[in-house]
Amino acid sequence: MAAEVDGAGRDVDVHQVVDGAALDVALHPVRQGLVALVTGGASGLGRATVERLVEQGARVVLLDLPTSPGGQLAKELGERCAFAPADVTSAEDVGAALTLAQKEFGRLDLTVNCAGVGIAVKTYNSKKDKVHELEDFQRVINVNLVGTFNVTRLSARLMSQNKPDADGHRGLVVNTASVAAFEGQVGQAAYSASKGGIVGMTLPIARDLAPLGIRVVTIAPGLFSTPLLAGLPEKVRNFLGQQVPFPSRLGHPAEYAHLVQALAENPMVNGEVVRLDGALRMQP
Ligand SMILES: NC(=O)c1ccc[n+]([C@@H]2O[C@H](COP(=O)([O-])OP(=O)(O)OC[C@H]3O[C@@H](n4cnc5c(N)ncnc54)[C@H](O)[C@@H]3O)[C@@H](O)[C@H]2O)c1
């Protein structure tokens, strides 16, 4: 058995034996040149994920809208990052992004679905006698839910071509829902429906792809400090942070990226929705 010293100076057994099998055989260290596709990679949680993966030694296709700063960011991150200008709702665009992954980096091991949009509109506002526009509802469902499914189905086809490891593992898809999937607030009908759809499809897709050795896991973040919330006044941001039991603050995008890496490295997590929210339960 080999031993290393961890950050706290303790001896750590890196070849721990569990039920007679060496644990490290099944782990998938990101540093081993993993190839990832991250949607919504130009901003917020997606951007933090791209940065962490590249820093850890992975090669990453950063997918985001052509109007996003994704091209500039990919350039700054160097040759281990390529930009795919694409809309997640387009089969053609996502197909081109996957072709880029194959052409540039030869394979695909990990897809992280971070692209998403949100709106705050009441189902019916009696004071203004205004009903929720159907087009707005459909747009949010289309980007958040249909877009996630589109990227997942096409990623699965490319991942299925990977040579399986000793465990039969070929790849992982990480989706991003929200705590709004469980505790949607006033005005979140469309957003919550889209995120609830992501939660609902996590297990069936994991079951669909299990015979291929492809895992599917969904992260449901609470409140994170991304451009989505950056526009709010400092007072409101502080108030939101105080709603979180512990730690009482907004989450850092790097904490989301850290969980993506942990999920990539631990092959036993599958078909599950993981809340990342400091025990937050949203009020109406
Ligand atoms: N920030 C939070 O507190 C929070 C909480 C829960 C869930 N989420 C979810 O996490 C994900 C990322 O959120 P964020 O805060 O980083 O948002 P963000 O706005 O900072 O980033 C979202 C990115 O998605 C891209 N995008 C939007 N529509 C797209 C499309 N059709 N095709 C391709 N790219 C598209 C945008 O250009 C943007 O770069 C979203 O799905 C969001 O719903 C965020």
Side-chain angles (χ1 to χ4, degrees):
M1 288 199 191
E4 278 182 2
V5 177
D6 72 3
R10 292 171 298 221
D11 277 338
V12 181
D13 176 16
V14 292
H15 292 260
Q16 239 172 42
V17 171
V18 177
D19 290 342
L23 184 62
D24 62 336
V25 167
L27 295 177
H28 303 266
V30 163
R31 62 180 177 276
Q32 284 179 2
L34 169 143
V35 177
L37 171 77
V38 181
T39 77
S43 177
L45 305 182
R47 177 180 178 144
T49 303
V50 170
E51 288 172 344
R52 182 176 182 97
L53 290 173
V54 169
E55 175 206 298
Q56 294 286 315
R59 290 165 292 167
V60 181
V61 171
L62 185 170
L63 184 158
D64 210 306
L65 293 171
T67 49
S68 76
Q72 183 57 34
L73 177 61
K75 223 181 258 168
E76 283 165 21
L77 289 173
E79 58 185 22
R80 276 192 280 113
C81 187
F83 177 53
D87 184 325
V88 289
T89 64
S90 156
E92 201 186 330
D93 284 6
V94 174
L98 291 166
T99 302
L100 181 71
Q102 202 169 18
K103 215 176 99 213
E104 288 285 318
F105 306 131
R107 55 191 285 126
L108 179 69
D109 305 294
L110 167 67
T111 286
V112 187
N113 282 302
C114 283
V117 292
I119 51 169
V121 184
K122 279 189 184 174
T123 304
Y124 171 61
N125 186 329
S126 60
K127 277 188 200 142
K128 296 181 180 167
D129 186 27
K130 193 170 178 351
V131 290
H132 196 306
E133 293 293 342
L134 209 48
E135 292 74 23
D136 290 339
F137 190 90
Q138 285 165 333
R139 183 175 57 85
V140 173
I141 297 287
N142 202 32
V143 174
N144 295 0
L145 179 57
V146 180
T148 296
F149 185 70
N150 185 36
V151 173
T152 299
R153 73 190 179 111
L154 296 172
S155 294
R157 180 165 60 187
L158 184 52
M159 284 178 190
S160 75
Q161 295 170 15
N162 291 343
K163 193 169 157 281
D165 72 5
D167 227 6
H169 193 272
R170 285 192 173 87
L172 166 67
V173 178
V174 177
N175 298 321
T176 310
S178 162
V179 294
F182 310 104
E183 300 114 37
Q185 296 181 291
V186 168
Q188 287 194 312
Y191 186 70
S192 294
S194 71
K195 297 304 188 178
I198 293 174
V199 167
M201 73 184 178
T202 300
L203 182 62
I205 300 176
R207 287 173 163 169
D208 282 349
L209 302 181
L212 298 170
I214 298 170
R215 295 183 291 130
V216 184
V217 183
T218 292
I219 299 174
L223 295 168
F224 276 71
S225 181
T226 69
L228 207 76
L229 296 184
L232 297 173
E234 182 72 16
K235 231 169 116 182
V236 179
R237 285 164 51 88
N238 285 342
F239 172 77
L240 286 174
Q242 281 159 17
Q243 307 308 301
V244 184
F246 184 80
S248 288
R249 59 168 171 79
L250 300 178
H252 300 303
E255 291 166 328
Y256 171 94
H258 183 275
L259 180 56
V260 171
Q261 184 179 349
L263 294 173
E265 294 183 344
N266 191 329
M268 205 58 202
V269 190
N270 192 13
E272 180 59 311
V273 179
V274 184
R275 291 184 72 127
L276 186 67
D277 63 5
L280 173 71
R281 298 296 180 269
M282 300 297 284
Q283 297 304 304

